[in-house]
Amino acid sequence: MTTDIATKTQETPNQNFPPSDSRERFKKFVMDLQDQICTGLEEVDGKAKFQEDAWQREGGGGGRTRVITDGNVFEQGGVNFSEVWGHHLPPSILNQRPEVAGHEFYATGTSMVLHPRNPYIPTVHLNYRYFEAGPVWWFGGGVDLTPYYPFVEDAIHFHQTVKGACDNHHPEYYPAFKKWCDEYFYLKHRQETRGIGGIFFDYLDSRGNLYNGPDPDGLAAQYAKNVGKMDFSWEKLFAFAQSCGNSFLPAYLPIVNRRKDTEYGDRERNFQLYRRGRYVEFNLVYDRGTIFGLQTNGRTESILMSLPPLVRWEYNYKPPAGSREAQLYETFLKPQDWINYKA
Amino acid sequence: MTTDIATKTQETPNQNFPPSDSRERFKKFVMDLQDQICTGLEEVDGKAKFQEDAWQREGGGGGRTRVITDGNVFEQGGVNFSEVWGHHLPPSILNQRPEVAGHEFYATGTSMVLHPRNPYIPTVHLNYRYFEAGPVWWFGGGVDLTPYYPFVEDAIHFHQTVKGACDNHHPEYYPAFKKWCDEYFYLKHRQETRGIGGIFFDYLDSRGNLYNGPDPDGLAAQYAKNVGKMDFSWEKLFAFAQSCGNSFLPAYLPIVNRRKDTEYGDRERNFQLYRRGRYVEFNLVYDRGTIFGLQTNGRTESILMSLPPLVRWEYNYKPPAGSREAQLYETFLKPQDWINYKA
């Protein structure tokens, strides 16, 4: 199953090793991205400011957790940066990449979840990360949108912006990573997508296709078939990750600005709180990063800052037929080709 | 690791097989218990009534889910009965009991979670269940209490009542199952017990000690050492499960009655909603039954009726020093010997 790294190196000598300053460059990118995003969000909020907690990790590394609460726009949200290193990669990673066993690892990234107060503004999640362990390295991450009272034009704008960032690097990226996102952010027990998706990728490296290592979900293998020959050098992939990260504010802020003054009442608020329950269910039941973090003594408060500030559960809720709420379920919680969507 | 059932049968011929009407008798017990508990809870609530949903399971069996909402006392809660059978036990059971592979199974039980509105009344959980699969059978379950603004006298009353039910059957039951409860209902990522505990047991059968099968958590093996020779016949264990179930109302209702008229304000309500987040975290991250149910297409609405009606998360909350809230963390979210507790 696994590719012999040494052999590949001879075939593609300039592509299989990251530059000597790879860690510093990705770290600077995600720290700058954290700054850029926090500034943009504070501007649109107009009231609340991010509060920062810097923290150190015992085994090596640390981070800066930034939380915004009680804003005009954002009821609660966090934009995190972290950088960790150590001797032992966790089992969840070793299962996916057994060839890294015994190597020291380095990982850095940024992750973000924002819970707006107005039910007409979608919740959004972003995460970009970079790993190195001995001879292997990879990029991962993505961005996805979770509306409560959705608008087709918002879904199209979000996907078009993200697609634009992808298309600058390869036309096969967006369709592959969009599909991966729809499948990853899926609540099996509800038979619903988490929202309208976006993009998701993982273990993206220089192996000559999207991914050819262990693939328990069978997703990567499936999409790799669709992807033609590309330049998967570290530089190209880093440039791709940067484009993705930099497309966040243009993808999200216009939606916030369009919806932030929409009036709403108890009905919309109650539905928003109910739907936030799905976010909790996804993050605690399915999200690999969250579960791994909780079970391996990560910084709990930083991991769970993704959970909403206020959430409702209601037994056997069904949206009224023909309602805006029903429309969410019928159209927006299923994978859709938003780029070509005709209302 | 596993015991040869046939050999054990010869040693203890009258103890290793359940009576021919074992399923009917346990089913009747848990259905009657569901009725008895619902009646008792409606009486103390004085306003809301349980609404029942009867459901059928495609692979065999069904249940009756009963939910109470917007009561005087209970903001939301459910008392479920279910009975299921089929050809294939799920991997989570087969990992624990590999000898049942290939056998048809039968399982029935009742499970309950109640979320009172008044923060001075604790949340409570109960579950008693019975399994048969080929030559093996076992009982499992327990009861545990989760206070927000706790009282030592309530904790002592709850544990004394549960201990009384256990002691009628064997003096080693309560200490073993109390400790098991403290360890099972533990949130590692918070370093907190879920509440003040109660009792928990699983795979309780006629094998001559508490449990001698696969024991990934190492708990049963540890406690089995403390337990002397007992009569583990089906009849004796069924009688024990009945005593546990019947002790629920005497254990819980006096606490409800003592606390239901206590006045509270926003501070107490907000803290209750915040602490309810821990209930969600436990049920979605650790609870084997919940995770198994969600991942194997159980009836989602019945499984997740255990989640609270309204929940808050707050980044990095710390209880004020010397406060009632701090007292919860310092004294009640750690295992305590409540029977001999001196305030």
Side-chain angles (χ1 to χ4, degrees):
Chain A
M1 282 294 282
T2 56
T3 303
D4 181 337
I5 300 284
T7 309
K8 296 268 324 173
T9 307
Q10 291 178 327
E11 287 166 13
T12 52
N14 297 319
Q15 292 187 11
N16 271 319
F17 292 105
S20 59
D21 57 354
S22 58
R23 300 175 180 194
E24 291 70 24
R25 285 171 65 196
F26 197 89
K27 177 182 170 181
K28 182 174 186 321
F29 154 57
V30 285
M31 292 185 84
D32 289 350
L33 185 62
Q34 185 192 32
D35 288 340
Q36 178 203 119
I37 288 176
C38 288
T39 302
L41 295 173
E42 284 178 352
E43 268 177 32
V44 76
D45 190 84
K47 176 187 166 197
K49 300 287 175 191
F50 281 91
Q51 301 298 314
E52 179 174 304
D53 277 336
W55 51 273
Q56 299 293 311
R57 180 174 172 270
E58 239 181 65
R64 51 185 202 196
T65 295
R66 290 188 187 158
V67 173
I68 191 167
T69 46
D70 282 327
N72 285 330
V73 169
F74 300 110
E75 190 173 339
Q76 192 166 296
V79 183
N80 292 339
F81 157 78
S82 71
E83 173 191 42
V84 302
W85 57 83
H87 296 289
H88 302 290
L89 271 166
S92 63
I93 301 280
L94 291 174
N95 288 341
Q96 301 263 338
R97 302 299 292 253
E99 69 272 32
V100 302
H103 288 291
E104 297 196 2
F105 75 96
Y106 173 88
T108 186
T110 183
S111 68
M112 180 188 87
V113 175
L114 295 170
H115 296 286
R117 187 180 308 273
N118 190 314
Y120 288 96
I121 309 177
T123 285
V124 70
H125 160 253
L126 168 148
N127 167 235
Y128 292 103
R129 55 191 182 255
Y130 174 64
F131 270 80
E132 286 187 7
V136 300
W137 51 268
W138 66 86
F139 296 91
V143 63
D144 70 288
L145 199 72
T146 305
Y148 304 93
Y149 288 90
F151 296 86
V152 168
E153 62 173 320
D154 293 351
I156 293 174
H157 166 78
F158 185 77
H159 274 271
Q160 271 179 341
T161 310
V162 172
K163 180 174 184 291
C166 293
D167 287 354
N168 285 337
H169 299 270
H170 199 286
E172 293 282 6
Y173 276 160
Y174 172 78
F177 300 148
K178 189 269 184 197
K179 197 173 175 196
W180 198 342
C181 187
D182 284 337
E183 300 203 10
Y184 181 73
F185 292 103
Y186 185 74
L187 287 83
K188 274 177 272 187
H189 66 284
R190 300 288 190 179
Q191 300 187 40
E192 294 166 9
T193 56
R194 181 162 84 171
I196 62 152
I199 55 167
F200 178 80
F201 57 90
D202 207 0
Y203 298 103
L204 190 60
D205 64 17
S206 67
R207 290 171 175 221
N209 56 16
L210 267 182
Y211 177 56
N212 64 0
D215 181 23
D217 299 331
L219 293 172
Q222 182 182 338
Y223 306 138
K225 290 179 195 159
N226 301 325
V227 177
K229 282 290 169 202
M230 304 186 213
D231 180 353
F232 282 97
S233 67
W234 191 94
E235 294 293 350
K236 285 283 187 185
L237 294 176
F238 179 45
F240 166 63
Q242 287 173 292
S243 286
C244 290
N246 292 328
S247 73
F248 171 73
L249 289 177
Y252 187 57
L253 288 191
I255 298 172
V256 175
N257 279 313
R258 271 206 289 265
R259 308 302 166 199
K260 70 190 173 70
D261 299 319
T262 309
E263 288 189 19
Y264 64 92
D266 286 348
R267 172 178 174 156
E268 291 83 2
R269 175 67 171 168
N270 281 334
F271 183 65
Q272 176 198 47
L273 299 188
Y274 174 77
R275 290 295 315 172
R276 281 177 175 174
R278 300 295 206 275
Y279 223 84
V280 176
E281 291 174 23
F282 183 86
N283 281 12
L284 296 183
V285 175
Y286 298 109
D287 192 77
R288 297 172 203 171
T290 302
I291 295 168
F292 161 73
L294 293 183
Q295 293 182 343
T296 53
N297 304 316
R299 186 176 185 261
T300 295
E301 292 293 342
S302 296
I303 298 162
L304 296 186
M305 63 112 237
S306 66
L307 299 180
L310 196 62
V311 186
R312 275 196 332 117
W313 273 274
E314 180 179 329
Y315 174 73
N316 227 9
Y317 168 83
K318 308 263 190 248
S323 64
R324 282 281 274 147
E325 292 83 3
Q327 197 191 2
L328 175 73
Y329 286 75
E330 288 156 15
T331 302
F332 292 83
L333 302 182
K334 295 170 179 167
Q336 301 282 4
D337 177 3
W338 289 112
I339 298 298
N340 300 301
Y341 189 81
K342 300 276 176 270
Chain B
M1 281 294 282
T2 57
T3 304
D4 181 339
I5 300 285
T7 309
K8 294 271 319 174
T9 307
Q10 291 177 327
E11 287 167 14
T12 51
N14 295 319
Q15 293 188 11
N16 272 321
F17 291 104
S20 59
D21 57 354
S22 58
R23 299 175 181 194
E24 291 71 23
R25 285 170 66 196
F26 197 88
K27 177 182 169 180
K28 184 175 184 323
F29 154 58
V30 285
M31 292 184 84
D32 289 350
L33 185 63
Q34 186 192 32
D35 288 341
Q36 178 203 118
I37 287 175
C38 287
T39 302
L41 295 173
E42 284 177 353
E43 269 176 33
V44 76
D45 189 85
K47 174 186 167 197
K49 300 286 176 191
F50 280 92
Q51 302 298 312
E52 180 174 302
D53 278 336
W55 50 273
Q56 301 292 312
R57 180 175 172 269
E58 241 181 63
R64 50 185 204 197
T65 296
R66 290 187 187 159
V67 173
I68 192 167
T69 44
D70 282 328
N72 285 330
V73 170
F74 300 109
E75 191 173 340
Q76 191 166 294
V79 184
N80 292 339
F81 157 78
S82 70
E83 173 190 40
V84 302
W85 58 83
H87 296 289
H88 302 290
L89 272 166
S92 63
I93 300 280
L94 291 174
N95 288 342
Q96 301 263 337
R97 302 299 292 254
E99 69 273 31
V100 303
H103 288 290
E104 296 195 3
F105 75 95
Y106 174 89
T108 187
T110 184
S111 68
M112 181 187 85
V113 175
L114 296 169
H115 295 287
R117 188 180 306 274
N118 190 314
Y120 288 96
I121 309 177
T123 284
V124 71
H125 160 255
L126 168 148
N127 166 235
Y128 293 103
R129 55 190 182 255
Y130 173 63
F131 270 79
E132 286 189 5
V136 300
W137 51 268
W138 67 86
F139 297 91
V143 63
D144 70 287
L145 199 71
T146 306
Y148 304 94
Y149 288 90
F151 296 86
V152 167
E153 63 173 318
D154 293 351
I156 293 174
H157 166 80
F158 185 78
H159 274 272
Q160 270 178 341
T161 310
V162 172
K163 179 175 186 290
C166 293
D167 288 353
N168 285 338
H169 299 270
H170 199 285
E172 294 282 5
Y173 276 160
Y174 173 77
F177 300 148
K178 189 270 185 195
K179 196 172 176 196
W180 199 342
C181 187
D182 284 337
E183 301 204 9
Y184 182 73
F185 292 104
Y186 185 74
L187 288 84
K188 272 175 273 186
H189 66 284
R190 299 290 191 180
Q191 300 188 39
E192 294 167 9
T193 56
R194 181 163 86 171
I196 62 151
I199 55 167
F200 179 80
F201 56 91
D202 207 358
Y203 299 102
L204 190 60
D205 65 18
S206 68
R207 290 170 175 223
N209 56 18
L210 268 182
Y211 177 58
N212 63 1
D215 181 24
D217 299 332
L219 293 171
Q222 182 183 339
Y223 306 138
K225 290 180 195 159
N226 301 324
V227 177
K229 281 289 169 203
M230 305 184 211
D231 180 353
F232 281 97
S233 68
W234 191 94
E235 294 293 351
K236 285 282 186 185
L237 294 177
F238 179 44
F240 166 63
Q242 287 174 292
S243 287
C244 290
N246 292 327
S247 73
F248 171 73
L249 289 177
Y252 187 56
L253 288 191
I255 297 171
V256 174
N257 279 313
R258 270 206 289 263
R259 308 300 166 200
K260 70 190 172 69
D261 299 320
T262 309
E263 288 189 21
Y264 64 91
D266 286 348
R267 172 178 173 156
E268 291 83 2
R269 176 67 171 167
N270 281 334
F271 184 64
Q272 176 199 47
L273 299 189
Y274 174 77
R275 290 297 313 172
R276 282 177 175 174
R278 300 294 207 273
Y279 223 83
V280 176
E281 291 173 23
F282 184 85
N283 282 12
L284 297 183
V285 175
Y286 298 109
D287 192 77
R288 297 174 203 170
T290 302
I291 295 168
F292 162 73
L294 293 184
Q295 293 182 344
T296 54
N297 303 316
R299 185 173 185 264
T300 296
E301 291 294 342
S302 296
I303 299 162
L304 296 187
M305 61 111 240
S306 66
L307 300 181
L310 197 61
V311 186
R312 274 196 334 116
W313 272 275
E314 180 180 329
Y315 174 73
N316 226 8
Y317 169 82
K318 308 259 190 251
S323 65
R324 282 281 273 145
E325 293 82 4
Q327 198 191 0
L328 175 73
Y329 287 74
E330 287 157 15
T331 302
F332 293 82
L333 301 182
K334 294 170 179 168
Q336 300 283 3
D337 177 4
W338 290 112
I339 299 297
N340 300 301
Y341 189 82
K342 301 276 177 270

